[in-house]
Every structure is written in structure tokens, then in C-alpha cells.
Amino acid sequence: MSMRLGAVLASYFFLWPFISSPHLSGQTIPDYEVYAIEYNSQPDWDVTGLLRGAEDQIVVDGSLMVWLIKDPEGRNILVDTGYLPDNPRHSDPTGELYTRPDEAVARLGVAPEDITDIIITHLHWDHADGTSLFPNAHFWIQEAELEYYATRAYQEGGDSRGVDRTNVVEIVELNTQGRVTLVDGDDQEIFNGVTLYTGGRHTFAAQYVGVGTPDGNVILASDNIWFYANLDLNLTNSLTFDPEADVVAQARMIELAGKPEWIIPGHDGAVFERFPNPVEGVARIR
């Protein structure tokens, strides 16, 4: 082999990781828009008992929300679905604070038929009860989450941990229709720049979402972090399969986020104070 050829090959193998990088081969991350959308709220909510190790009373303006990731090329990715008005756990009988999730999403001009994909972070009712509202969506859920709640959770020694069987059955039925992708574990990029992470154990295999930007990730934590108090006081949720795993997951989110303020908790109404509101009940994260 000539010295010139050897030098060319050495350069090739040195540069290969950079040449093959999607960001240098024309596959740049889309300029995603990221929104939090409130569909119900719970003012002056005493959440002290929900935060493991809380020493003082903690009261927040609670929020029930979903999150929308808008791809400039037309893909509309919804994170969680909220719940239907006839859900037996619905705690707003007057309906004054509640907006059906598809109608809440429509505040941004996105019809339910326009939702192309839905990421189910976990199977709790307030995150997975509204699947029927979005007729054209394809769903993404951790395989271990669905497998556990469809099988062992209801066996002797299992723990349904607040998951309603009806929501499990709905996802199983969607799977038989070819509308579900089962995600295999941690750090799975499902679209260019949209990555699913595991580690928190709020449910058996809960996941959260990283949305890539030139400035780093926006982290849609969902219920892996309930409130800003989790971050401010370094507290984890009391509802978990593994408190220590939650500690590690929370620290990892801080490392993954492009900016500290880009970690978005699952139930804190302060999100709508900390970010601009293009319309009422909507916060634009990015």
C-alpha cells in the first residue's frame, strides 16, 4: 500500500463519524415548535404528600396538560392524550375548568385528524384515556409498559399502580389495528431529533421525551417530574416503583436539557406563567 493511499484511508476512517453524522449529511433536525396545552386545572393544590421527603407544605396551581411538537414539514406529534369527560375519575363535575383534549389542541389550529403521532409516556388515565379522540394517529409506547399492564400487573403479586384496565385494553386494540409501535427501551430516536428516554419508575416503564434543537434538548418530563418543586427541592414523586431510579432519572434530565428552564414538568400550572401564551391555555416552550 502506498503512503498516499494509507494517508487517504486514515483520513477517511478519522472523518467517518463526522461524514456519517445526520447533521452533516443534510438531515438537520427540523425547527420544531413545542407547546404545552392545558385541558384542566386544579388551583391551590396541596401536593405536599405527593413529593417524597417534603418537609414544608407545598401548594401549586396544578395543571393537566398534553404537549404538541409541530414539525414544519407537517407532522404533528402529541405527547399523551388527556382523558375523556365521562372518565369516572374526572374531578371537575361542573366542567368549568375542563376542555376536552382534542378541543384544547385545536386552540393552535390543529384538528384531531391532523395529529399524526401520539407518544404515550405512561398508561395513567389522565395521560392515556383520550386515544379515541385522534382517529389518524399512530401511537408510541414502551413495550415493557404495555406488556406489564396487559399481563403481570393483574396477576398475584402484581401492582397496577393507578393504571385503569380500560386504557390498557384500548392500546392493545390499537395494536391489533397496526397503529402502535412498541419502543424497545431507553434512548430511542423515533423521529429526527425526537428521542424517548426511560429511567424514572413512576409507572412500570414510563418514558419521557427529548426534542432536539440547536441549543440542546427540550425535555417533556410528563409525570417523571410532576412539579417545579421536584427540581427546586430535589424531590421525587411519592408514586413510584423505584425512588432511587427516579433520583437518577431526574439528574439525567438536567444533564440532557439544553437549558434549565427547558425541563417541563407534567402537572405544574406555572408552565403557563414562565413561557409565552400565544393563546389562552397554551404555552410556547420553543
Side-chain angles (χ1 to χ4, degrees), residues 107-163:
R107 296 170 186 152
L108 285 170
V110 178
E113 296 83 5
D114 295 334
I115 297 297
T116 57
D117 299 271
I118 295 177
I119 298 166
I120 299 293
T121 62
H122 63 294
L123 281 169
H124 278 156
W125 64 284
D126 56 322
H127 295 260
D129 185 55
T131 57
S132 62
L133 297 174
F134 305 98
N136 297 326
H138 187 84
F139 291 80
W140 302 78
I141 187 171
Q142 283 289 326
E143 181 175 8
E145 177 90 348
L146 183 58
E147 186 275 336
Y148 180 76
Y149 289 108
T151 56
R152 289 176 287 151
Y154 296 94
Q155 296 290 309
E156 183 177 355
D159 187 351
S160 62
R161 196 60 65 96
V163 169

Side-chain angles (χ1 to χ4, degrees), residues 113-284:
E113 296 83 5
D114 295 334
I115 297 297
T116 57
D117 299 271
I118 295 177
I119 298 166
I120 299 293
T121 62
H122 63 294
L123 281 169
H124 278 156
W125 64 284
D126 56 322
H127 295 260
D129 185 55
T131 57
S132 62
L133 297 174
F134 305 98
N136 297 326
H138 187 84
F139 291 80
W140 302 78
I141 187 171
Q142 283 289 326
E143 181 175 8
E145 177 90 348
L146 183 58
E147 186 275 336
Y148 180 76
Y149 289 108
T151 56
R152 289 176 287 151
Y154 296 94
Q155 296 290 309
E156 183 177 355
D159 187 351
S160 62
R161 196 60 65 96
V163 169
D164 292 343
R165 64 178 184 83
T166 53
N167 300 144
V168 178
V169 171
E170 287 166 353
I171 296 293
V172 170
E173 174 62 25
L174 287 167
N175 186 48
T176 68
Q177 299 171 16
R179 293 180 59 194
V180 175
T181 292
L182 300 175
V183 182
D184 185 15
D186 180 51
D187 199 2
Q188 299 295 313
E189 187 177 47
I190 62 171
F191 304 113
N192 187 13
V194 178
T195 303
L196 305 183
Y197 299 96
T198 60
R201 299 298 308 283
H202 175 62
T203 57
F204 187 81
Q207 61 185 356
Y208 57 98
V209 185
V211 184
T213 81
D215 300 315
N217 286 308
V218 173
I219 299 295
L220 302 177
S222 185
D223 282 10
N224 293 279
I225 294 178
W226 270 333
F227 312 110
Y228 283 113
N230 289 85
L231 298 166
D232 297 340
L233 302 175
N234 195 27
L235 300 173
T236 59
N237 300 338
S238 58
L239 181 59
T240 178
F241 276 81
D242 186 345
E244 293 305 315
D246 287 359
V247 171
V248 173
Q250 188 164 304
R252 185 186 187 201
M253 289 184 213
I254 294 171
E255 292 180 356
L256 286 170
K259 304 176 182 180
E261 62 268 27
W262 277 2
I263 303 174
I264 311 302
H267 286 291
D268 200 320
V271 169
F272 300 93
E273 300 171 359
R274 298 188 182 199
F275 293 93
N277 303 138
V279 294
E280 184 178 359
V282 174
R284 178 163 182 171

Side-chain angles (χ1 to χ4, degrees), residues 17-142:
F18 304 98
I19 295 170
S20 62
S21 167
H23 309 306
L24 294 180
S25 60
Q27 298 182 29
T28 55
I29 294 175
D31 188 15
Y32 289 115
E33 298 174 18
V34 184
Y35 299 91
I37 303 171
E38 185 174 67
Y39 70 90
N40 204 350
S41 60
Q42 190 168 346
D44 300 322
W45 185 13
D46 185 345
V47 300
T48 311
L50 298 178
L51 297 175
R52 185 179 297 272
E55 296 180 354
D56 300 313
Q57 185 182 41
I58 300 173
V59 177
V60 305
D61 285 333
S63 176
L64 290 96
M65 62 185 100
V66 296
W67 301 268
L68 181 66
I69 305 166
K70 294 189 71 174
D71 183 333
E73 297 181 358
R75 188 183 295 275
N76 293 303
I77 307 165
L78 194 65
V79 179
D80 293 337
T81 69
Y83 65 84
L84 299 175
D86 61 353
N87 188 288
R89 298 193 188 213
H90 185 32
S91 60
D92 180 21
T94 65
E96 294 178 0
L97 302 176
Y98 173 84
T99 301
R100 207 173 68 187
D102 58 331
E103 296 173 352
V105 172
R107 296 170 186 152
L108 285 170
V110 178
E113 296 83 5
D114 295 334
I115 297 297
T116 57
D117 299 271
I118 295 177
I119 298 166
I120 299 293
T121 62
H122 63 294
L123 281 169
H124 278 156
W125 64 284
D126 56 322
H127 295 260
D129 185 55
T131 57
S132 62
L133 297 174
F134 305 98
N136 297 326
H138 187 84
F139 291 80
W140 302 78
I141 187 171
Q142 283 289 326

